Amino acid sequence: MKAITYTEFGGPEVLRLAEVDEPHAGPGQVRLKVVAAAVNPLDYKIRNGWRPQIAPPFPVIPGVEAAGVVDEVGEGVTGVAVGDEVLGWTVTGAYAEHALAVDFGPKPADLDWDLAAALPVAVETSVRVLDALGVGEDDTLLLHGAAGVAGAVGVQLAVARGATVIGTASPGNHDYLRSLGAIPVAYGTGLADRVREAAPQGIDAVYDAAGAGDLEVLIDLLSGTDRIITIADPKAAELGVTFSGYAPFGSRLGEYARLAAEGKLTVRIAQSLPLEDAAKAQELSAGGHAAGKLVLRP
């Protein structure tokens, strides 16, 4: 099969389109014929050698999120059959024509493939954080980094729970946040004052999706660390803040995929590119200016 691979850490130039052996579904696994694979910042961070503790052995096929059609079902797997459309997390790399998965949910037939590939990480992350924070009706949530993919999904899910959401973003994204139901405030110097002005009632919980080094400000706004979670700031532990990472999500993903198919949950797709343009996609991701999710099509 065709896949994007690399055999050493480095810049986007280490990525190569190659012919590799197809994986086959083992016990507890399904194999997908990948239709769309999403690009995440973690992909280029691993490629650069910045996350050696989670880097797979060389040669690496990047990517964790994919949507595709099941074409092999391993021993012990129930509730899914060859021909089913699914979305989820791959264990063999998503930038490929085929990938194995153990954590996935059903894809509605009327859900766009690019959007399907863009959902798993953002949905799992935001549901996990909002559940851990206990965000519900009458809460005021400060969502730092609200215009990013995970942040924007977090805004929508928090609003659906009845929360008031204060979302931080650059001014160019304020109309977008308003469209999602958030009250936007700008990043940068004076952030605390702007948040207090937007939420004179105070902040009940904080979801930091930005990792921009503002935890001290966020702690001050909350007057403590009891209801603050970051998914991106490495200083969390030294400041007594919870750092939250991926947990298996499984078939729950299907209910959020259905919301997306019904237009009740959305992710901006910045660009859909052919698989061979993976290096370009990762460069765009690393640049931080893509307005939404980047997707590769094998």
Side-chain angles (χ1 to χ4, degrees):
M1 69 174 184
K2 291 180 180 178
I4 297 295
T5 69
Y6 58 96
T7 56
E8 60 181 327
F9 294 128
E13 70 279 357
V14 302
L15 298 174
R16 296 282 186 272
L17 182 65
E19 288 284 342
V20 302
D21 291 339
E22 292 183 3
H24 292 283
Q29 299 176 328
V30 300
R31 189 177 80 165
L32 308 184
K33 179 173 176 52
V34 177
V35 177
V39 177
N40 285 283
L42 185 61
D43 301 348
Y44 73 78
K45 293 175 182 178
I46 293 174
R47 186 209 69 218
N48 276 325
W50 300 343
R51 297 288 192 274
Q53 70 276 17
I54 60 172
F58 294 124
V60 176
I61 298 175
V64 295
E65 281 182 297
V69 181
V70 174
D71 65 1
E72 286 184 6
V73 177
E75 181 182 353
V77 178
T78 60
V80 65
V82 169
D84 286 353
E85 297 178 355
V86 300
L87 64 157
W89 294 261
T90 73
V91 295
T92 53
Y95 295 18
E97 291 182 314
H98 294 278
L100 302 183
V102 296
D103 191 9
F104 55 89
K107 173 195 164 296
D110 51 346
L111 178 61
D112 175 80
W113 284 104
D114 288 350
L115 180 52
L119 285 174
V121 168
V123 165
E124 183 279 324
T125 299
S126 290
V127 171
R128 167 171 31 91
V129 172
L130 295 177
D131 284 352
L133 289 172
V135 172
E137 192 172 0
D138 299 327
D139 275 333
T140 297
L141 173 71
L142 174 59
L143 209 162
H144 192 39
V149 176
V153 168
V155 167
Q156 294 169 78
L157 297 181
V159 168
R161 293 179 181 211
T164 297
V165 180
I166 310 298
T168 71
S170 61
N173 280 308
H174 285 191
D175 285 345
Y176 173 56
L177 291 188
R178 290 187 189 96
S179 76
L180 300 180
I183 300 167
V185 298
Y187 288 130
T189 304
L191 172 63
D193 290 338
R194 289 190 293 276
V195 171
R196 290 188 178 104
E197 182 180 354
Q201 72 276 22
I203 299 297
D204 299 305
V206 175
Y207 171 4
D208 173 32
D214 294 316
L215 282 182
E216 290 95 337
V217 175
L218 303 179
I219 291 168
D220 181 59
L221 282 164
L222 192 61
S223 300
T225 59
D226 285 349
R227 292 184 76 190
I228 178 170
I229 289 176
T230 182
I231 62 168
D233 198 319
K235 290 180 66 178
E238 65 186 80
L239 294 173
V241 170
T242 298
F243 188 103
S244 185
Y246 162 79
F249 200 65
S251 60
R252 290 182 69 194
L253 190 55
E255 66 183 271
Y256 296 96
R258 170 45 52 197
L259 290 176
E262 294 171 354
K264 298 175 182 176
L265 179 64
T266 186
V267 172
R268 289 193 295 186
I269 304 299
Q271 201 169 350
S272 184
L273 300 163
L275 183 64
E276 55 266 31
D277 285 345
K280 177 182 177 181
Q282 287 198 359
E283 282 186 280
L284 290 169
S285 177
H289 299 299
K293 201 80 165 183
L294 293 153
V295 177
L296 297 172
R297 288 288 197 126

